[in-house]
Amino acid sequence: MRFLGIAGSLRKGSYNRQLAEAARAVMAQRHPDVEFELLEWADVPFMNQDIEHPAPGAVARVRDEVKRTD
């Protein structure tokens, strides 16, 4: 099973990121067979329909990450 944590803040020390990291640590300890990744999305550009197709590389990467998540 694969989980994908998404912190709403891009700040390295954000509380959301800290909670996601803590969840990942607990998951690794209790369920080592479960994959828990944190989405890195700082490079995703603002929504712009003028460049939606084809999607920018960062957008395509994030879409693929979400699709691979259970």
Side-chain angles (χ1 to χ4, degrees):
M1 183 170 278
R2 183 173 192 270
F3 288 90
L4 183 64
I6 302 173
S9 174
L10 296 177
R11 187 173 63 88
K12 288 182 182 180
S14 79
Y15 295 124
N16 287 333
R17 181 169 284 282
Q18 290 178 48
L19 286 170
E21 291 281 359
R24 179 166 55 177
V26 168
M27 188 68 72
Q29 183 181 21
R30 295 187 181 174
H31 303 283
D33 56 323
V34 173
E35 186 180 348
F36 189 112
E37 296 293 325
L38 286 177
L39 180 66
E40 298 298 336
W41 60 279
D43 59 336
V44 175
F46 287 111
M47 174 61 181
N48 180 346
Q49 287 182 320
D50 292 335
I51 61 169
E52 187 175 4
H53 298 288
V59 173
R61 178 185 53 77
V62 167
R63 287 178 180 166
D64 289 342
E65 289 287 328
V66 171
K67 286 177 186 174
R68 292 183 335 126
T69 301
D70 296 310

